Amino acid sequence: MPPPPPEPAPERKQHPVVAGLIALVGVGLAIGLLAGGATLVATRVMGLGAETTATDSTARQSMYLPKPEATTASAASSLPTLPAASEPTGPVLTTPTKDTGITLTAAQTTVGQMGRIDLTGTYPTGEGAVLQVQRASGPGDDSWVDFPVSVTVSGGQFSTYVQTGRTGPNRFRVIDTDSDQASNEVTITVQ
């Protein structure tokens, strides 16, 4: 009797979805490697990947604020002078206080809620000083709290604005953050 025929090898089942995913991953890797290589070559050619030294980085610094110094008479005469305003730009309301050299004025006396309140002033001896805007805690209260606005004196003058939603009379002043000298106060009614 002849030996029985060999059994056929089991058929291999193909999975077209798996084969498609493997092909996609392979193509994605190839494209990613090519794109990465091209980017690397482009950055080298353009010099974007060049190393910088400490001297290079300090040469590019642009923020420098010198300490204020007293102005001499000869230097003061070379400064430009601003022309005086011919008319007031709006009502000015100030409250007298001891003279600290800081004068504060407000262009408005009444504004709506969150209306712009323009604060300007002079501080002839405070060149470069940082002034913190403060508001009185309450209408009859003499305690002051920092308002989230500060301004720097330039040319003996300063100018900023504030906005508030607190209705009623609001009293503002500015205070020199170094010397704690305060300006006069101004009162603005917020409706």
Side-chain angles (χ1 to χ4, degrees), residues 22-40:
I22 291 172
L24 275 174
V25 169
V27 170
L29 278 171
I31 291 174
L33 287 172
L34 288 173
T39 303
L40 181 63

Side-chain angles (χ1 to χ4, degrees), residues 11-150:
E11 271 190 46
R12 204 167 186 212
K13 294 184 180 180
Q14 293 185 1
H15 298 283
V17 174
V18 173
L21 287 175
I22 291 172
L24 275 174
V25 169
V27 170
L29 278 171
I31 291 174
L33 287 172
L34 288 173
T39 303
L40 181 63
V41 168
T43 57
R44 297 281 183 198
V45 168
M46 289 190 249
L48 297 176
E51 293 182 24
T52 59
T53 62
T55 56
D56 290 341
S57 63
T58 56
R60 290 188 212 130
Q61 291 180 354
S62 63
M63 189 65 176
Y64 172 72
L65 183 62
K67 286 278 189 196
E69 295 179 9
T71 306
T72 62
S74 62
S77 64
S78 66
L79 294 175
T81 57
L82 298 173
S86 58
E87 294 181 25
T89 56
V92 175
L93 178 65
T94 61
T95 303
T97 188
K98 74 175 194 160
D99 185 19
T100 60
I102 308 173
T103 304
L104 177 67
T105 58
Q108 299 82 6
T109 56
T110 305
V111 297
Q113 282 187 329
M114 298 309 291
R116 183 176 168 133
I117 302 167
D118 295 301
L119 300 175
T120 58
T122 60
Y123 190 11
T125 60
E127 186 64 29
V130 176
L131 303 177
Q132 174 66 51
V133 177
Q134 293 185 327
R135 177 171 59 188
S137 297
D141 194 359
D142 280 335
S143 62
W144 296 87
V145 293
D146 288 347
F147 204 76
V149 175
S150 61

